[in-house]
Amino acid sequence: NPSFAGSNGGLRYQSTTRSQWYSTSNPYLTYNNSIDAYIKPMKGGIALAYTRDDQAKGTLITDRIDLTYAQHFNLLEGKLKIIPSLQVSVFQKTLDNTKLNFGDQIDARRGFAWSSFPLKEKQTKTNMDFSSGLIVNYNHFYFGSTIFHFTQPDEGLQGPSKLPFRSSSFISYNISIGENVLLNALVRFENQQHFSNTYFNVNALFLKHIIVSSGITSNSVVNVLAGYRHNYFTISGGYEFGTSRINSTTAGSYEIAASFNIRNKENRKLVKDFEKW
C-alpha cells in the first residue's frame, strides 16, 4: 500500500528479492529497492522505488519506477490516523522474441503452414501508470485499500492490451501479550479482472526482536517467515508452497527482505504502532 510511505517517522531503505518457482527451468525473479521518508513540515511521506521483474531468464523483463506521496492526518489527539496517497509510475516492458518457441507451424489436420510474420528480436514499450492508496489507523486497528493501475495503460507489445486495474484491501489488528509478545492478525483480499485471492496471516514479535509469521491463502498456498528486528534494521526470510490434491509435487517460492533505518526507532514518537513491524 503506497500510504505506508513515511510510516516509520524517519528515513528508511528497503530491499526485497523474490524467486517464484525457483525449482523450475524458468523461474520468475523480482527485485525491489525503495527509500521512503517522513517530511515533518509537510506532515507527509514520500517514497521512491525501483522494481524489476524477470520472467523466464530474460524473456520478458519489466522495469518500474514509482514515486509516491502520502499525506498523514492525525485526529482525535493522535488516536486516529488517516493517510491517503497517490503513486505515479513509469514502467517499461521488454520482450526478447529470440527466446520464444512457437512450435510446429504446420496445421496437423489439413497439412498447410500457418501464416506468420517476422518479429523484431526485441520489442519495448514504455508507459505511465497511476495508483492510489488509503490507510486508516485507530489505536491498534488498521484498514487499508489500494487501487493499482486505475488509468489502465496499454501495455501490449503485439497489439493493444490494457493493464487491468487491481484492488487490494487489508484489515489488521495488533494484540500485546505482556511486554515480550506482540501478535498481529492480518486478512488481505486481492482482485484483478476475473482473479481473486484472500490471504490470512498471523505474525508474532517476541522479545521486541524475533519475528515469526505463518499464513495461508484461499488458493491453498502456505507461507512461513522468520526474521530479526534490530533498532536500526530488520532482516527476514520467507518460503511459500502450494498444496494440491492432484499433484503432491508443487513449485515453491522464497523471499529475502531487509530494511534499514538511519535513526533508532525507539526514539521516534510519530507512528509508534507502525514501528512495531
Side-chain angles (χ1 to χ4, degrees):
N1 191 315
S3 292
F4 277 110
S7 63
N8 72 330
L11 184 64
R12 171 175 55 190
Y13 165 75
Q14 298 181 91
S15 178
T16 304
T17 300
R18 176 180 173 84
S19 177
Q20 186 164 328
W21 309 317
Y22 67 92
S23 60
T24 63
S25 59
N26 292 297
Y28 190 134
L29 303 176
T30 299
Y31 310 94
N32 176 268
N33 290 275
S34 68
I35 185 169
D36 71 301
Y38 183 82
I39 310 301
K40 191 173 181 179
M42 303 168 60
K43 296 183 179 179
I46 59 173
L48 180 66
Y50 167 70
T51 304
R52 164 167 278 210
D53 280 332
D54 184 346
Q55 301 181 49
K57 298 180 179 179
T59 304
L60 179 62
I61 293 178
T62 303
D63 293 298
R64 185 181 188 92
I65 296 176
D66 304 311
L67 180 62
T68 301
Y69 178 75
Q71 184 63 55
H72 294 231
F73 296 101
N74 292 297
L75 307 172
L76 302 180
E77 298 181 348
K79 293 183 179 180
L80 175 64
K81 300 176 181 67
I82 300 175
I83 310 174
S85 62
L86 179 66
Q87 186 177 86
V88 181
S89 309
V90 176
F91 70 93
Q92 183 180 80
K93 284 184 173 289
T94 303
L95 176 65
D96 186 351
N97 289 307
T98 62
K99 295 186 176 183
L100 297 179
N101 182 1
F102 294 98
D104 196 343
Q105 296 297 299
I106 300 177
D107 184 281
R109 294 175 62 189
R110 298 178 176 85
F112 65 84
W114 292 103
S115 59
S116 60
F117 54 91
L119 295 174
K120 298 179 181 179
E121 289 189 0
K122 286 192 175 182
Q123 292 176 278
T124 300
K125 191 163 189 177
T126 304
N127 279 283
M128 287 196 70
D129 191 16
F130 294 86
S131 304
S132 181
L134 175 69
I135 288 177
V136 178
N137 165 222
Y138 182 77
N139 287 334
H140 304 300
F141 172 81
Y142 299 87
F143 167 78
S145 185
T146 310
I147 300 296
F148 296 97
H149 327 304
F150 62 78
T151 52
Q152 295 187 309
D154 180 8
E155 63 171 356
L157 290 167
Q158 303 290 342
S161 179
K162 288 188 175 183
L163 176 60
F165 77 86
R166 176 169 66 90
S167 63
S168 175
S169 300
F170 76 89
I171 297 175
S172 175
Y173 189 78
N174 289 348
I175 305 170
S176 295
I177 303 177
E179 295 182 357
N180 296 321
V181 180
L182 175 68
L183 296 180
N184 169 267
L186 171 69
V187 178
R188 189 173 85 248
F189 178 75
E190 304 269 356
N191 183 77
Q192 186 172 31
Q193 210 167 25
H194 305 297
F195 304 93
S196 62
N197 201 7
T198 305
Y199 301 76
F200 305 91
N201 265 80
V202 176
N203 313 294
L205 180 65
F206 297 102
L207 302 172
K208 299 182 180 180
H209 294 293
I210 301 172
I211 300 172
V212 178
S213 173
S214 182
I216 190 170
T217 72
S218 58
N219 60 1
S220 301
V221 174
V222 178
N223 68 79
V224 293
L225 177 145
Y228 179 80
R229 195 206 77 164
H230 188 269
N231 291 334
Y232 297 96
F233 68 88
T234 301
I235 186 167
S236 65
Y239 181 78
E240 68 177 35
F241 57 93
T243 60
S244 172
R245 296 179 180 179
I246 301 175
N247 190 349
S248 59
T249 303
T250 59
S253 307
Y254 70 83
E255 185 172 299
I256 299 174
S259 173
F260 301 91
N261 300 275
I262 66 169
R263 289 192 300 155
N264 190 326
K265 289 185 177 183
E266 304 300 326
N267 293 333
R268 301 195 188 120
K269 305 296 182 181
L270 293 173
V271 194
K272 293 182 180 178
D273 217 35
F274 277 141
E275 294 178 351
K276 292 177 180 178
W277 298 103

